[in-house]
Each structure stands twice: as structure tokens, then as C-alpha cells.
Amino acid sequence: MTVYISAFRRVPPFAQGYVKDLRVRWALAEAGIPFVVTLIDASDQGSEQYRAWQPFGQVPAYRDNEVELFESGAIVLHIASKSDVLAPKDVAGRARVSSWIFAALNSIEPSAQDFIQLIENSSGEPWADALRKPLLAKLRLRLSALSTSLGHKAYLEGTFTAGDLMMTTVLRELVDSGVLAEFPVLDAWRQRCEARPAFASALEAQLKVFREHAPVAV
């Protein structure tokens, strides 16, 4: 089986290491599945050919000998179905992993992104103070619930799964804001997941592309 994924050839420095193909790269590395990367840029994003693969012109997109997929959550879920490392064999266990993947994308990520974008775009504007308090309160509520569910376990389901993978990629974007430090159980879990060799190799593979295609200084 040959696996192909799409990824950006170049992104701004602030996005490097955070583009969502990292999730797919990490899942494939954990599963031990080799893959080929198709690099795209702005000119490809709007092309008819690429839109047939990824209707919104984003990354990642995925294809193998059987399926074509877009959206990182759907792709990671598909990879997890092929790997005992990313999901248990039993139906109930796989269902739990699916729930955690959707929780990362639907319960945690929207609150996290709303807060991050406020910080990045407000630049100390007075109007931001009115938004900051409710957004932060909602985010803290979500993180508190997640922390309670994780408890003293090493991973959400006891052993590492695709649910931990997906949730980690969401939580790591909160590190610079300082909010995650308020939840030491979650921060330690994030660090534990990021210490996995498959994460390190996936991150380096993404960053290597950006280094190789960096603009040449004049």
C-alpha cells in the first residue's frame, strides 16, 4: 500500500511546526506506515486538481490504494483503524478513541483557537478586554474537565492512542499563552506525548521541508 499526503511547501515562521499535516505525519510514524509527501503552494490550493482531492484547498489530504480523505481528524481516525498502536482491537476501545479525537476537535480546539486568536490579533486593544474574560473562562472550563478525565492516568485510555495524539496537537498551541501551565496534569501529559520518538521524527520532517524551501535572503 502506498500512502500519499499533502503538505505545504512554505508557511510563515509562526506556523512552522503547527501545520495540521503534523497530526498525520505523527500518526503514520506511530503506525510504522511509510508515506510520500506531495508539497503544495498557493497556486496549487485553488487548482481544480487539488480541490478534487481537498475541496477547501487546505492540508492535509490523504490517499492510499483504497481511499481518499481530507480533514486531519478523519485521516488520523483512518490510520488508527490500521494500527494497534493508535487504537485497541476491540470495538468498544476503538469507539472510545474516536470519541477523544472528536473531543479534541470539537470540545477543546474551538475554545483554544478563539482564545489564541484574540491574543494574537488584539494587540492590547480595549475591546479585547471584554472578550478575554468569557473566552478564557470557557477555555479553563474545558481544560478543567479534560484534566479531571485524565486524572492520574498516563494517557486518556491508560495506554497511548490516537486520542492522545490529537489532543496533544491541540494543547501544544496553548503553551505560549501560559494557560496550559495552569493545568500541570495536562501539561505533563502533553510533554509525555511529545517525548515519543514518533512525534519528534514527524515534527522534524515537517520543519525540514520549511528549511529546504525557505526564501533565499538577498
Side-chain angles (χ1 to χ4, degrees), residues 14 79 89 149-150 193:
F14 72 85
I79 297 167
K89 293 181 179 179
S149 187
L150 178 62
C193 291

Side-chain angles (χ1 to χ4, degrees), residues 87-98:
K89 293 181 179 179
D90 64 287
V91 173
R94 287 188 180 275
R96 291 280 295 178
V97 170
S98 298

Side-chain angles (χ1 to χ4, degrees), residues 45-147:
Q45 284 183 270
S47 70
E48 183 177 346
Q49 181 180 7
Y50 188 66
R51 291 286 176 135
W53 190 13
Q54 216 298 353
F56 304 100
Q58 301 170 329
V59 300
Y62 170 103
R63 69 163 57 100
D64 58 29
N65 295 354
E66 299 174 332
V67 303
E68 284 194 3
L69 293 169
F70 58 95
E71 294 296 336
S72 62
I75 297 169
V76 170
L77 193 58
H78 175 69
I79 297 167
S81 72
K82 299 177 177 296
S83 169
D84 293 345
V85 175
L86 294 172
K89 293 181 179 179
D90 64 287
V91 173
R94 287 188 180 275
R96 291 280 295 178
V97 170
S98 298
S99 292
W100 283 120
I101 290 174
F102 282 100
L105 299 175
N106 294 339
S107 295
I108 304 296
E109 188 169 44
S111 295
Q113 287 300 312
D114 285 348
F115 184 70
I116 291 168
Q117 289 176 20
L118 177 68
I119 293 174
E120 291 179 346
N121 298 323
S122 63
S123 302
E125 295 290 337
W127 57 263
D129 292 336
L131 290 176
R132 179 184 175 90
K133 187 174 180 179
L135 289 179
L136 183 55
K138 183 178 180 181
L139 176 58
R140 283 172 171 159
L141 188 65
R142 296 292 194 186
L143 294 178
S144 178
L146 180 60
S147 182

